[in-house]
Structures are given as C-alpha cells and as structure tokens.
Amino acid sequence: MTDFLNFDLCKTSELVSSGELSAAELTKASIDRAEALQPKLNSFISLEKDEVLEAAESIDKRLRQGESVGSLAGIPLAHKDMFYRLGKITTCGSKIRSKFKGDRTSTALSRLEKAGALYLGGLNMSEFAVGPIGNNVHYGDCLNPWNQEHTPGGSSSGSGAAVASRTVYGALGSDTGGSIRIPSAMCGVVGIKPTQTRVSRFGLMPLSFSFDCSGPLTRTVRDAARILHIIAGHDPKDSTSSRRKVPDYETECDKEVASMRLGIPSNYFYDGLDADVDRLLRDTRKIFEGLKVEIVSVDVPSHDHINLIWAAALAAEASTIHRKWLRDRPDDYGPMVKRRVEFGLYQPATRYLEALTLREKYLRDYCDTVFSKCDALLTPTMPVVAPRYKDLDVGGGESMPELVLMLSRNTRPISYLGLPALSVPCGFGAKGLPAAFQLIGRPFSEGKLFRLGNAYQEVTDWHNTIPEIVE
C-alpha cells in the first residue's frame, strides 16, 4: 500500500496543498485501495472513479495556479449512502430507494466540496440507517477490517470500515442512537456525534426528526475537528440548525487539559462490561490521570425511562416516514428493519408526546447533576468488542430487540438528550478487536471533547495501528 494512504487527513492535506503530493495521485491510490478491498470488506455501494479523478485533476490545476482551495484540498472522502446529491442515486442502503435520484444536495456535502474535499463514493450502511450491526440484505453485509468474521457496527458500517482500512481519510455518518459511535468503536476509528442541531440535516434521508444528526468518522481526533468545523453551523435550508457560532475546533485541540474534570459514572455505563473493555477503560483513566486531568465520581440520572421513551419516539417517527412504503412495499424491507419500523405503528400518541415533552427536563437534570461536577463524562462507547456475525440474530427473531439494546445501551441515552459525544479508540482486546471510550459533554461543548480526545491521542498510539488485510 502506498505510504501516504497511512497518513492522517491533516498531514495529507498539507502535502497536497504544498504540491508535494498531487490530488490525482492520491485519489488514484484511494480508488485502487477501494477496489482491492471491496471483495474483502464490501464497504462501498457505489464508487465514482471517473468523476472523482476529474475533480482531483481540477484541484491540482487550481493549486498550480496559486488558488486557495480549502482546508480539505484534494482529500478523498466517501460518505454513508444517505446524503443526497442532486441528480445522483442515493440508495439509503435499501431496495426501495435503489434508483432514487436526489432532488437536492446535502448541505454537509456542499460544504465539504467547497473546502476542496473529493467524493469517492457512497458507503454501505444498515438499511435506512436502522440497526447497530452493519448487515444489509440488499447490498451484502459490510465486514470488519480487523477480522472479517465480525461486524463493523452500524448503521454507518461502510464509513467505519472505509476509514479504518485506510481507503479514505474520513467519512460522514449519521447518528440517531449510536450509528456513528458504534462503528467507530468496532472499527477502531474516531467518531463524533455533535450536539443536536449543530450540523444541518438538509439533504439527509431522515429516520427520526427528533434524534437524527450527522458527523465525521476519521483516523484522528484532530481530523474529526477539522471536518466538523467545516460542516457545522446554521443553514437557512434547515430551520432547526443552530445559529450558535462555530468555534475553531482544531485550535481547541491544542488547549491544555490539566485541571479539567473528567467524570466517571458510578452507575449504568460501566455495568456488564466485557473483561477486555473494562481493562482498557481502566488503562484510559490512568492515562488521563497522567495528563493531570482531575477524575471525579458522578451519579447519573436513571436511564431506564430514558431508554423506553427514546425507543417509543424513534419508532413513532420512523414509522411515520415509512408508513406509505410499509403499506405499498412491505416485502422490500429486510426482516429486522421491517420489524423495528413497524413497531412504531403501535405506539400510542401519549407515549410519543411524553418522550418529546420530557426531553428538556431530562436534559436540564443531566446538566445540573452531572455537568455541574465535571467538564465531560468518560464512559465505554460500547460494553463489548465487535461480535461475530454468526453469533448474532440479524433477522427479525425474538432475540433481535435485546441484541440491539445491548449494542447501543451506552449511546442511545445520549442521542435522546441531544448531547455531543466523541468516541476514541483505546486499545485492543485479546482477539485483536478494538475498543473505545466515549467522552460526553454539555450541549455545544465539542471543543472540550476534542481537547481531551486529542490530548489522549498525543500520548498513545492506538489510532496509528492499521489492520492487516490481505488484498
């Protein structure tokens, strides 16, 4: 593999901008890598070779002419195949939308293109972004780069696999209950679920009006900070997007962490951990202590009711979006997705309204009882490392709901509350599979999370470990 494919986004961007590496050469290497690994990982649904090479050559020409192209000049990215592009097919990982052409372009994609990023293709995903596993009955299962018998996590499965395999330097995913953080953890990459409303959702196929958000999966915390800075901010096309000023997240990465307070939950998040995950989280805590971060124990409010009403609200909103297709094309859904989406048809309006009206109260309680004592929470992203596909119920069987809840137990409460959360790889279990920790903060505290996550990566090397995949 060409050495520069191993570099992080920020370093590679410097090479392209300085002329040491051409965007065309870089893009050709990414295409070759994608094609070589597709039979192994199945991380792509579509690969746009001709278009992206033409765009790369245009970037090189502009750079030779002395033009300032942007902070992502010539960087190949690929994205979960649910971000619309005008006139281009966006499958959403489904049979139903296998020929759907977007009538608009996602604001997030437009902002990345304006910054000079290149679009390599659409990435595999769980059908309609439903499910934490990464299986797909229509386009084939995406596989984990560290061990192809294991799941890469979902629903942004291709995003995690493509970044971890060093095929692309970053990828957008969506997160409604953990769909950025779960594949980030399972694939050993960084993933940021920003504060609800931080990033425009215009041009993103919806799953839940209340909980959907999007963000990047990258190789390093600093890479994620750069991409989030570009895509964040108010969008007139999305009235729900925040008008709050977007900080320079890369600058935030360089700030000191000494004397920051990191909260360790005394309940819920550390219950039932896999032995490897427990060991690696203990090691992580020691590293932060070595960085002079103050570790404090905090009680978090009960998550039992939060989990129940999150599930009810998500199902109600998803079934509203899918109601017509459920009526007209029920057989075109995979069994797991169909069962989960249909569940919302039987949710009473009282439970749905309860979920929405209680959200502000639960968020206020969380800020008062948790973030009054610490700058961020430190939790496992997931209680386990990536399981094997053959050990999972990926259909609509009786064990499926329990499986989904187990994999997302540490991520879905944060989605309900709309809080920012950063997943960072923190080592490997006995079977060579990655684990990760999650930093959770107050609304719009992404800068603090980046600061802590970057400080951790400056004294550790997990993010530089590359999976061995025989091409």
Side-chain angles (χ1 to χ4, degrees), residues 271-436:
D271 295 343
L273 294 188
D274 174 276
D276 283 335
V277 176
D278 183 56
R279 171 179 57 83
L280 292 169
L281 262 292
R282 291 178 187 275
D283 292 344
T284 296
R285 175 175 171 172
K286 292 176 182 177
I287 289 170
F288 277 114
E289 289 175 335
L291 293 168
K292 308 302 181 186
V293 173
E294 181 183 354
I295 304 295
V296 298
S297 178
V298 295
D299 295 330
V300 298
S302 172
H303 289 73
D304 294 338
H305 194 228
I306 286 177
N307 286 332
L308 286 173
I309 59 179
W310 169 86
L314 170 63
E317 293 182 346
S319 64
T320 299
I321 293 165
H322 287 264
R323 187 180 184 93
K324 184 177 184 297
W325 292 330
L326 286 171
R327 182 191 67 212
D328 298 341
R329 303 183 63 174
D331 295 335
D332 289 338
Y333 286 92
M336 182 178 77
V337 175
K338 182 182 178 183
R339 181 176 178 185
R340 292 191 66 194
V341 174
E342 281 183 334
F343 175 66
L345 298 174
Y346 307 102
Q347 290 299 309
T350 51
R351 175 55 62 90
Y352 174 63
L353 292 174
E354 176 190 32
L356 297 189
T357 55
L358 285 176
R359 195 179 188 191
E360 183 178 353
K361 175 188 180 300
Y362 278 127
L363 177 58
R364 185 171 59 251
D365 290 347
Y366 228 81
C367 290
D368 290 344
T369 62
V370 174
F371 297 120
S372 60
K373 300 175 182 175
C374 63
D375 294 295
L377 283 178
L378 172 66
T379 80
T381 304
M382 294 177 55
V384 298
V385 296
R388 295 184 302 179
Y389 267 117
K390 71 177 185 179
D391 295 333
L392 303 178
D393 176 6
V394 297
E398 292 303 315
S399 64
M400 183 271 294
E402 182 179 349
L403 168 68
V404 169
L405 294 177
M406 183 274 290
L407 293 178
S408 62
R409 75 178 308 276
N410 284 1
T411 58
R412 62 181 184 271
I414 308 310
S415 290
Y416 175 79
L417 296 169
L419 299 170
L422 176 70
S423 182
V424 180
C426 63
F428 296 85
K431 296 181 180 179
L433 294 163

Side-chain angles (χ1 to χ4, degrees), residues 92-103:
C92 305
S94 69
K95 180 178 180 180
I96 289 172
R97 286 213 150 179
S98 61
K99 297 181 180 179
F100 168 76
K101 291 185 178 181
D103 60 354

Side-chain angles (χ1 to χ4, degrees), residues 141-161:
D141 298 342
C142 185
L143 306 179
N144 193 308
W146 297 96
N147 187 323
Q148 284 80 70
E149 293 183 358
H150 291 250
T151 167
S155 61
S156 307
S157 51
S159 300

Side-chain angles (χ1 to χ4, degrees), residues 32 51 89 116 132 136 143 163-164 173 183 206 286 312 338 372 417 449 452 455 470:
D32 290 346
E51 296 94 327
I89 291 177
N136 189 302
L143 306 179
V163 174
K286 292 176 182 177
K338 182 182 178 183
S372 60
L417 296 169
L449 306 186
L452 288 161
V470 179

Side-chain angles (χ1 to χ4, degrees), residues 105-367:
T105 295
S106 154
T107 294
L109 293 190
S110 295
R111 290 178 176 178
L112 290 174
E113 182 180 9
K114 187 176 180 180
L118 301 172
Y119 184 93
L120 200 65
L123 294 172
N124 205 348
M125 57 180 287
S126 302
E127 180 185 358
F128 283 123
V130 178
I133 299 169
N135 60 301
N136 189 302
V137 300
H138 307 296
Y139 298 93
D141 298 342
C142 185
L143 306 179
N144 193 308
W146 297 96
N147 187 323
Q148 284 80 70
E149 293 183 358
H150 291 250
T151 167
S155 61
S156 307
S157 51
S159 300
V163 174
S165 63
R166 275 36 181 190
T167 302
V168 294
Y169 291 87
L172 293 187
S174 69
D175 195 310
T176 305
S179 289
I180 289 173
R181 292 160 287 162
I182 292 171
S184 295
M186 287 193 183
C187 292
V189 300
V190 172
I192 175 76
K193 182 205 99 62
T195 306
Q196 193 73 26
T197 74
R198 178 78 286 186
V199 176
S200 170
R201 295 183 291 184
F202 180 80
L204 176 70
M205 168 70 195
L207 174 61
S208 165
F209 309 115
S210 297
F211 308 130
D212 289 345
C213 61
S214 60
L217 295 83
T218 59
R219 302 174 189 180
T220 71
V221 171
R222 188 177 293 274
D223 290 351
R226 178 171 295 191
I227 291 181
L228 184 61
H229 177 73
I230 290 166
I231 64 174
H234 179 65
D235 175 18
K237 296 176 181 178
D238 177 4
S239 61
T240 68
S241 62
S242 173
R243 295 179 179 273
R244 186 184 291 244
K245 183 179 178 181
V246 180
D248 184 339
Y249 292 129
E250 277 192 78
T251 298
E252 292 291 319
C253 286
D254 295 323
K255 292 182 178 179
E256 286 289 331
V257 297
S259 300
M260 290 186 72
R261 296 174 301 165
L262 199 52
I264 307 295
S266 59
N267 55 312
Y268 186 78
F269 285 100
Y270 286 79
D271 295 343
L273 294 188
D274 174 276
D276 283 335
V277 176
D278 183 56
R279 171 179 57 83
L280 292 169
L281 262 292
R282 291 178 187 275
D283 292 344
T284 296
R285 175 175 171 172
K286 292 176 182 177
I287 289 170
F288 277 114
E289 289 175 335
L291 293 168
K292 308 302 181 186
V293 173
E294 181 183 354
I295 304 295
V296 298
S297 178
V298 295
D299 295 330
V300 298
S302 172
H303 289 73
D304 294 338
H305 194 228
I306 286 177
N307 286 332
L308 286 173
I309 59 179
W310 169 86
L314 170 63
E317 293 182 346
S319 64
T320 299
I321 293 165
H322 287 264
R323 187 180 184 93
K324 184 177 184 297
W325 292 330
L326 286 171
R327 182 191 67 212
D328 298 341
R329 303 183 63 174
D331 295 335
D332 289 338
Y333 286 92
M336 182 178 77
V337 175
K338 182 182 178 183
R339 181 176 178 185
R340 292 191 66 194
V341 174
E342 281 183 334
F343 175 66
L345 298 174
Y346 307 102
Q347 290 299 309
T350 51
R351 175 55 62 90
Y352 174 63
L353 292 174
E354 176 190 32
L356 297 189
T357 55
L358 285 176
R359 195 179 188 191
E360 183 178 353
K361 175 188 180 300
Y362 278 127
L363 177 58
R364 185 171 59 251
D365 290 347
Y366 228 81
C367 290

Side-chain angles (χ1 to χ4, degrees), residues 66-89:
E67 186 176 339
S68 178
V69 178
S71 61
L72 295 177
I75 297 297
L77 305 177
H79 308 293
K80 189 175 187 176
D81 199 29
M82 61 186 296
F83 291 84
Y84 299 160
R85 297 162 67 227
L86 181 64
K88 298 288 187 178
I89 291 177

